Structure formats: structure tokens, C-alpha cells
Amino acid sequence: MFRQSISRWVKQLSPVQMIFLFYFIAVIVATALLAMPAAYQSGARPPFIDILFTAVSALSVTGLSTLTIADTFSTTGAVLLAVVLQLGGVGVMAIGTFIWMVVGKKIRLRERKLIMADQNQSSFSGIVRLVREILLVILTIEFIGFIVLGTYYLQYFPTAKEAFFQSFFGVISATTNGGFDITGQSLKLFKDDYFVQFINMLLIIFGAIGYPVLIEVKEYLFAGEVKRQTLRFSLFAKVTTLTFLILIVVGALFIMLLDAGGFFAGKSWHETLFYSLFQSITTRSAGLTTMDVSQLSEPNHLFMSILMIIGASPSSAGGGIRTTTFALVVIFIITYARGQRNIRIFNREVHEQDLFKAVTVTLMAIVFVLTATILLSIAEPFGLSQILFEVSSAFGTVGLSLGITDDLSVFSKIVLMILMFIGRIGILTFLFIFTSHKQTGKYHYPKEKMVIG
Amino acid sequence: MFRQSISRWVKQLSPVQMIFLFYFIAVIVATALLAMPAAYQSGARPPFIDILFTAVSALSVTGLSTLTIADTFSTTGAVLLAVVLQLGGVGVMAIGTFIWMVVGKKIRLRERKLIMADQNQSSFSGIVRLVREILLVILTIEFIGFIVLGTYYLQYFPTAKEAFFQSFFGVISATTNGGFDITGQSLKLFKDDYFVQFINMLLIIFGAIGYPVLIEVKEYLFAGEVKRQTLRFSLFAKVTTLTFLILIVVGALFIMLLDAGGFFAGKSWHETLFYSLFQSITTRSAGLTTMDVSQLSEPNHLFMSILMIIGASPSSAGGGIRTTTFALVVIFIITYARGQRNIRIFNREVHEQDLFKAVTVTLMAIVFVLTATILLSIAEPFGLSQILFEVSSAFGTVGLSLGITDDLSVFSKIVLMILMFIGRIGILTFLFIFTSHKQTGKYHYPKEKMVIG
Ligand SMILES: [K+]
Ligand SMILES: [K+]
């Protein structure tokens, strides 16, 4: 009865109103959870704005915090934080995929079927089912990670309980790309342990590569020999995965080169490899670190700001303009700079409208980031590169910081919360406020649609 | 004979090759002129890289300099510098308008006739005629300015000769938007003289608003009463002029607001008005100043960097992405964010291809500016906002600086010279390298073409 009446009410809402409603409820719930006195060590309960900031940061799986979790939160608090992270991570994937379904009125049948098994379901039960499926995939990944890391951590921590608790929190923080830590020093403890780093990189990538990609890979892996012959990955999966991997490699290369004479001077090849690779992966979304990023040079901070603004894949736990948007913008520039009109990737023609959306998202992101940077530089005494880094980190829901988060004014915290919200649900969702009822469908040439952000 | 054989050779070149050739010759000539010992005060002859830098800066009417002109150049040197500025200012307008003619194969007949009186002329004599006409318009403006300011300067300088020499150099520097000064303190001397500031603002605007606009206004003013009824300003002239004026007002407003509690605190309303208005106008291209810009706050420096990147009108003495590009990008964002397709301004439909070009130019400008900023921040010890300001100043051929130009390494000087070159001829000219022979002309709907950058 109760569920039916909710279902009826929610059905009246537009998709965008639904997302706002869910997010609003989630912020209230998360703030309420984190406002519980039991969540804090004795005498360490912070002011409301910091609780709200941490709730928004956790829900948007950003990881920026005005508090040192290890010194402030109790064990109960850490568990609650992990719950909010999980809620945020699954929620952000669900919202991304949900948008895909809304756009998906023009998506090929097979892809839609992958996501929403029964098309005749109402959109509310569709969402419930979607969230359940995402949760299942994420929990499976997390459970494997939890067992592997927990067992491995026995050598690091005095008791099995602590080893597995560290693994519990760390795996959720990595897989949801939340980037919070309860060690007080992120993953710097494991800066020489390449196994821990490798597992964390895998978990981060699972969280950041996009739920549709995970689903397509899962279907491929579990398909029978015969069926596998006929399966092909969607254009979206190919573009996002390729862009994702190229960005990791190019990112690592530049991070390494920009500090070749600085942080990386005198480091062995394997230290250099793991530091730069981990930093490249974490900078795009997760925010966990094996080093103190403020040790890197200013050009590197600027470069990393760009990586953070690009962010992770659509329908993933990451933020930013998203990999597909970046890829399409690069394609747009090359295409129109050469005066051409037809765009092909992987032997498929790209829909022009997708290019325009990608460009619009990118230009709006630049406007948002610049505006926030100007606002924070009015309000704060810090240097431009520190502020740009912080702002990019919020927009990309990354959570890296050059250490200024604690000292920000309430005004700047509010600006960052808005950015984390925008970065989380994506600029394209904002566009849907205007476009969802105005689709004209003028196009008469057959092309393959692609999700942008 | 000689002229005919040059004419024949030049005719074989593509427009882009021609522009590069002219620019290359101009750099050699300008460097040779400024390398003459007579150009310098005794014992003040600078190293070659600084002469080259000053030549490139003057030719691109930027005004960035590694030298203090007042302490280094002789009177002869100042005259030579004025000649190079004049060459650069007229050249940049001619190149811009020439590109307009090349694009203009699709431009309405009347507009083309305005620029190139006889279409049957060869392109070489067309250019010669164009340069002559531009020179005439500019010299007329400069001559009036020279007489007015020179007479007025009699109260400031001990001899009539010095008053008119200051007026001579100052008027050329303002009208060509060169921004060099021989006073050693730009226009700070006239910070309380609103008449001098007003005349300088007018001259700067004449140089920055675009030659096609000047020509259309001239035709309108000199047309008979009857003919005037039938004249209408082109879409291009309306868009560029409106954008130009809006940017001046909005720019002044923000410059004022961002330092309301700083530089402008305690200033009277007329001081505030003139400081902010002059700064807004000069930041978009000219680079002359009535104040020390390093006294403004960091948020203001960031905002002014954006103004510098936007720059002046196409086919003007200014650089940057240009006003029309900026206007079309704003229109693009609004249009595609709302999911619409048809764009109208002033009751005319805008050509889609123009929007794409504007967006491509803007995105490439962002790539260039970011790349140069990263390169300079690798090479230099200065802060990010100082470097971004310097780089934006070079790309916008503005010439404002927070005082780091003298201390730059040779590497950074070369980067800035390349940026000044790109900013001068415009990113769109680069695009023509690829597009000039690939125009497909697929469009079958009637729209009005517009010049972008
Ligand atoms: K994060
Ligand atoms: K200038």
C-alpha cells in the first residue's frame, strides 16, 4: 500500500525532479547519520557546516573533508561513513545509468535490455531493479576485495579484527571512489607495497570505468561459447574504455615527466612506475594517495587539475566532464578544424548532436570551474594554483587537496558543495532540465547514439 | 617589371602561405630596424633575443617588452618603434580583412564591394589597394588624434616639439593598440586627466572595433540622405559592435566590483568610473594603463586574463579569440543546452558552421593558453596567476604584465613570441591551412555568413 502510493507519486515527477528529490533525501539522511554523537570520538564533534560538508562529500564520493577522519570519527562513525559512501557510489552509478535509460529512448534495443531487463516495468520499479543490480555487482567486487586485502593486511595490523576493518573501509572507499581514509595518511602506509596498490588500482578502475561497461563485460564473460561469437561491445563501451586507458597512460607519463627532476629524482624505475601510475588513476576520480601531492611541482598541480576536470567514465562513481565528453570534444576539434563534417570512430558514424552536447558540457564546466575559482580566490588568501586544484577536485569529485580544505570559509565550503553536487550528477543532467521535453528528433540519417556525461 | 614578377610569384601562393610570407618578411625588417645602433641610448643596446622579442611584440601590436623603452631607446629608436607598430597595426587589420575576403566567396555582394572595390582585380593588387585604404582610414584617425592631443599636451611638456612627439608616439601606440610607451609609466601621468583618457579610449576603440565596422560607419556617414535610407549595417557589424560594447561595460563593472574593497576603496565616483572603464577597454587589447595593474587583486587578475583571451574584434588591431567568436560561443552554449537547433540574432539565422568554428577556435585557444601556462610554470619561478596573466596578455596581444616579462628565460620568451604570432593572425587562419581547399558547400539553406576570428 505505502509502496504503491509512493510509486504513484514518484511516477508524476520528471526524471530530473526525481533525481533532485533522491539527492535531497540522501543529503538529509547522510547528514542525520553523521550528526549522531556516537559517530565521533569523545569531545570531537565538529560544527554543523563540517558535518554537512562531509555528508555531501561522502554522498558525491568526493572525499574532500574539513575534518581528519582518523582523529574525529569513532569506529561507529567510520562504519556510518562507509554506509554513506556506499549509498553515494551506488546512487551515482544508478543516476548515471538512469539518465542513460532516459536518453535511451533512441538507444539500440540490446543495450537497453542489458540495463533494464523488462521494459514494461514502470520507471520506479525499473529504478529499484537497477539499483539492486548495481548493488549486486559492486558488492561482489567489494566482497572479493575485502577478503583478499583483509587476509593480506594480517601482516600489517595487530589483530584480525583491525586488519579486516581496515580492509572493509578501504575497499569501500576505493571501489566507490570515495577516497576517504581512516588511517590518517591515505595509502602512504603502503607506498612500497605494490600488491596493495595494485588491488586498490583495480578497485578504483572498477568503480570509475562505468557501470554499463561492467555489465557488458559481465555478459561477455558469462556468455556461452556460441553466443559469445555474436556479441559485440557497444560503441559507448569501446570509446569510454579506450579513452579511460589512454588517459591513465598519458596521465602517468606527464605526471612523471613534470616532476622528473623533482619528486621522481633518484627514485627507482618501479617506484617511479607505481607512484605515477597510481597517481594518474587516483587523480581522475578516487583521491586516495600513496604520496603527499603537495610535494609535486606547480606545473604538475595544474596538469592534475585538468585530469580531475576530465574525470571518470559516465555512469560511474567518478565525476568531471567524463571520458566520453573529453573524447568527443577532441574529435570535435579535429573534425571542425579540418572543415570536415562526418565523424567516424570504430567504423560507426557519431551523432552530431552528441558532439554538440559534449562541447556544451565542456564549455559549461570551464565556466563553472572558473567562476568557482574566482569566488574562492576572493574569499580565501591561498594562491591560484591551490584554489584551482581544490575547485577541480570538487568538480571532479576526486578529493585531492593541497591542504587548504580545513581552513576554508563557510562561503567557500558552500561553493565546493555545489560543485560536488554538479560534478556528481553531471552537467548533462542539468541540460536535461531544459531538453527532456523538447527533443525534436529532426534527424533522418541513421547513426549510433552515445552517452556523453 | 619587377613589380609584375613579384605579383606573378605571389599569385601562385595560397592565402595562408602569403600571410606567413608577409609576416616572416615583416619580422626580419622590424628586427633589422630595431637592431640599428642609432635606435638606442648610448651603451644601452640589448641582446638579440630582446630585440627580436620587441620586434615581434611591436609587429603583433602586443606591447609586452623585456626592455623599458624610455630607458633604452633613443628618439630615433622610438620613431622606428612607432613605424613598426604602424606596420603591425595596419598589417593585422589587412590580414584580418583579407581573410574575410577569402571566406567572402560566400559573403553578400555588397559587403565584398565595400572592401574590395573592383572584384576583377588580381588578389595581389587587391591586397595593395586594401592596405592603402586601411592606411588612409587609420592615418586620418591618427592625424586628428595627433593634433588634438599634441595641442593639449602643450600644458604638460616644456617644448612644443616634445608635446607633439609624445602625442605622435602615444597616438600611434593607442590607435594601433600597440600599448608601448615612451614615458616609462604608460598613461599613469594622466590618471587625473579625463580628457587625455577619453581621447585615448576613443583611439583604442577605433583600433580594436574592426576595420569592416569602420568602413561601414564611414559609408553610412558619407552617404547622401536618400541612399542612407536604404543602407543597413551587416549582421557582422552589429554583432561585433554590440558584443564589444557589452564586454566593455561588463568588464568595467567586474573590475570595479572585484576590487571594490581594495584598489577602488575610498576613490571618488569619477575616479572609479574612469579607472575601471579605461582598464576594461585597455585589457581587451591595447595594454596602455592609467594604474599599476599589480595593485589589483588576484581574482581581478584572473578575470582580466579572461578578458584578454576574449580580446578585440576580428579584422582589428586586437588579438584573442575575438568578440564574434565569444558571442557565438555564448549563443552555442545557450542553444545546445536548451536542445534547440535554429539560431537567430537580429532576425537573421546564424550559419551552423560559424558556430562550430567559433567553438573550435575557443577550445583551441584554451589548449594553447593552458599549454603555454604549463610550459612557463615549468621554466619560471613565478606564481600561476602571474604566468597565466602574462600568457593571456601575449595571446590577446594586450601587453599588460604583472612585471615578470624582464625576468623570463629565453625559452619562455620564445613561447610568448609564438603566442603573440598566433594571437595576431588568429587561430582561424591556422584552420584555413586545413580548410581552404576542402570547402564542401553542402548547405542548401539560406543563411548569413559571419566572420569569426
Ligand atoms: K573521490
Ligand atoms: K597591445
Side-chain angles (χ1 to χ4, degrees), chain A residues 258 298-300 302-303 306 329 332-334 336-342 352-353 355-357 359-360 362-364 366-367 370 373-374 377-379 381-388 430-432 434-435 438-440 442-443 445, chain B residues 258 298-300 302-303 306 329 332-334 336-342 352-353 355-357 359-360 362-364 366-367 370 373-374 377-379 381-388 430-432 434-435 438-440 442-443 445:
Chain A
L258 287 171
E298 195 168 55
N300 226 338
L302 187 53
F303 176 71
I306 297 169
V329 166
F332 179 95
I333 295 179
I334 294 170
Y336 287 100
R338 299 173 74 182
Q340 297 171 339
R341 297 280 298 200
N342 299 322
E352 247 186 356
Q353 196 71 357
L355 288 186
F356 305 157
K357 272 194 198 133
V359 168
T360 309
T362 306
L363 291 171
M364 285 177 78
I366 292 169
V367 171
L370 281 180
T373 303
I374 290 179
S377 73
I378 293 171
F382 307 111
L384 183 59
S385 71
Q386 288 171 297
I387 287 172
L388 179 65
F430 278 115
L431 299 192
F432 273 100
F434 305 103
T435 57
K438 288 184 190 164
Q439 295 277 354
T440 48
K442 266 198 212 165
Y443 315 105
Y445 31 87
Chain B
L258 287 172
E298 196 169 53
N300 226 339
L302 187 52
F303 175 71
I306 296 169
V329 165
F332 179 94
I333 294 179
I334 294 170
Y336 287 99
R338 300 174 74 182
Q340 297 172 337
R341 295 282 299 200
N342 299 323
E352 246 186 356
Q353 196 71 356
L355 288 185
F356 305 155
K357 273 193 198 135
V359 168
T360 309
T362 305
L363 291 171
M364 285 177 78
I366 292 168
V367 171
L370 280 181
T373 303
I374 290 179
S377 73
I378 294 171
F382 307 112
L384 184 59
S385 70
Q386 289 171 297
I387 287 171
L388 179 65
F430 278 114
L431 299 192
F432 273 100
F434 305 103
T435 56
K438 288 183 190 167
Q439 296 276 355
T440 47
K442 267 198 211 164
Y443 316 104
Y445 31 88

Side-chain angles (χ1 to χ4, degrees), chain B residues 133-196:
Chain B
E133 280 193 21
I134 291 176
L135 203 57
L136 186 72
V137 172
I138 295 302
L139 283 179
T140 307
I141 293 169
E142 285 174 341
F143 184 74
I144 298 171
F146 169 67
I147 298 298
V148 172
L149 271 191
T151 313
Y152 188 81
Y153 276 177
L154 291 173
Q155 62 182 298
Y156 277 101
F157 297 96
T159 64
K161 194 183 156 199
E162 200 179 334
F164 278 95
F165 183 69
Q166 288 285 347
S167 171
F168 163 78
F169 191 91
V171 163
I172 288 180
S173 186
T175 312
T176 64
N177 278 234
F180 282 94
D181 70 274
I182 51 169
T183 62
Q185 48 177 333
S186 200
L187 293 175
K188 291 182 202 76
L189 191 60
F190 307 107
K191 69 184 172 60
D192 300 317
D193 191 326
Y194 300 147
F195 179 76
V196 173

Side-chain angles (χ1 to χ4, degrees), chain B residues 52-345:
Chain B
L52 180 65
F53 190 89
T54 306
V56 171
S57 179
L59 260 187
S60 59
V61 288
T62 301
L64 279 178
S65 182
T66 53
L67 314 166
T68 314
I69 306 300
D71 301 342
T72 323
F73 279 68
S74 64
T75 307
T76 312
V79 172
L80 288 174
L81 191 60
V83 169
V84 176
L85 278 182
Q86 190 77 338
L87 185 68
V90 172
V92 87
M93 282 192 191
I95 287 175
T97 317
F98 176 64
I99 291 169
W100 198 26
M101 295 195 298
V102 175
V103 196
K105 276 157 198 162
K106 284 177 189 161
I107 291 181
R108 283 182 311 129
L109 205 64
R110 189 186 136 264
E111 278 165 20
R112 263 161 68 77
K113 280 209 172 152
L114 279 179
I115 305 298
M116 197 163 45
D118 182 354
Q119 287 186 83
N120 293 323
Q121 286 185 336
S122 75
S123 117
F124 183 68
S125 53
I127 290 177
V128 171
R129 191 193 174 95
L130 174 69
V131 170
R132 209 188 296 143
E133 280 193 21
I134 291 176
L135 203 57
L136 186 72
V137 172
I138 295 302
L139 283 179
T140 307
I141 293 169
E142 285 174 341
F143 184 74
I144 298 171
F146 169 67
I147 298 298
V148 172
L149 271 191
T151 313
Y152 188 81
Y153 276 177
L154 291 173
Q155 62 182 298
Y156 277 101
F157 297 96
T159 64
K161 194 183 156 199
E162 200 179 334
F164 278 95
F165 183 69
Q166 288 285 347
S167 171
F168 163 78
F169 191 91
V171 163
I172 288 180
S173 186
T175 312
T176 64
N177 278 234
F180 282 94
D181 70 274
I182 51 169
T183 62
Q185 48 177 333
S186 200
L187 293 175
K188 291 182 202 76
L189 191 60
F190 307 107
K191 69 184 172 60
D192 300 317
D193 191 326
Y194 300 147
F195 179 76
V196 173
Q197 290 183 36
F198 178 72
I199 296 293
N200 270 286
M201 286 193 267
L202 271 188
L203 294 176
I204 291 172
I205 290 174
F206 283 140
I209 204 161
Y211 175 68
V213 175
L214 293 182
I215 283 285
E216 287 195 32
V217 171
K218 183 186 134 197
E219 201 196 43
Y220 183 81
L221 291 178
F222 289 95
E225 193 68 42
V226 182
K227 198 182 166 203
R228 195 176 289 177
Q229 303 289 331
T230 64
L231 278 180
R232 75 169 188 86
F233 289 100
S234 66
L235 177 62
F236 166 70
K238 285 185 208 160
V239 170
T240 191
T241 307
L242 184 69
T243 312
F244 196 87
L245 296 178
I246 291 175
L247 279 170
I248 286 176
V249 173
V250 172
L253 199 67
F254 273 84
I255 287 172
M256 193 257 285
L257 287 176
L258 287 172
D259 265 291
F263 179 81
F264 294 106
K267 296 262 193 304
S268 69
W269 68 267
H270 48 87
E271 280 177 308
T272 304
L273 176 69
F274 268 85
Y275 271 124
S276 57
L277 198 59
F278 194 92
Q279 196 55 44
S280 173
I281 290 172
T282 201
T283 302
R284 296 264 308 296
S285 161
L288 290 165
T289 50
T290 55
M291 66 163 104
D292 180 2
V293 286
S294 62
Q295 280 186 274
L296 296 174
S297 63
E298 196 169 53
N300 226 339
H301 293 149
L302 187 52
F303 175 71
M304 286 162 69
S305 299
I306 296 169
L307 283 185
M308 292 194 282
I309 292 169
I310 295 171
S313 296
S315 306
S316 78
I321 62 169
R322 317 292 150 100
T323 47
T324 38
T325 309
F326 178 72
L328 290 190
V329 165
V330 171
I331 291 168
F332 179 94
I333 294 179
I334 294 170
T335 304
Y336 287 99
R338 300 174 74 182
Q340 297 172 337
R341 295 282 299 200
N342 299 323
I343 304 102
R344 309 184 121 247
I345 10 175

Side-chain angles (χ1 to χ4, degrees), chain A residues 59 61 86-101 115 130-131 133-135 137-139 141-142 174-177 203-212 214-215 313-318 322 424-425:
Chain A
L59 260 187
V61 287
Q86 190 77 339
L87 185 68
V90 172
V92 86
M93 283 191 190
I95 287 174
T97 317
F98 176 65
I99 291 169
W100 199 26
M101 295 194 300
I115 304 298
L130 174 69
V131 169
E133 279 193 22
I134 291 176
L135 203 57
V137 171
I138 295 301
L139 283 178
I141 294 169
E142 285 174 341
T175 312
T176 64
N177 279 233
L203 294 176
I204 291 172
I205 290 174
F206 283 140
I209 204 161
Y211 176 69
L214 294 181
I215 284 285
S313 296
S315 307
S316 78
R322 318 293 151 98
R424 177 203 155 110
I425 72 164

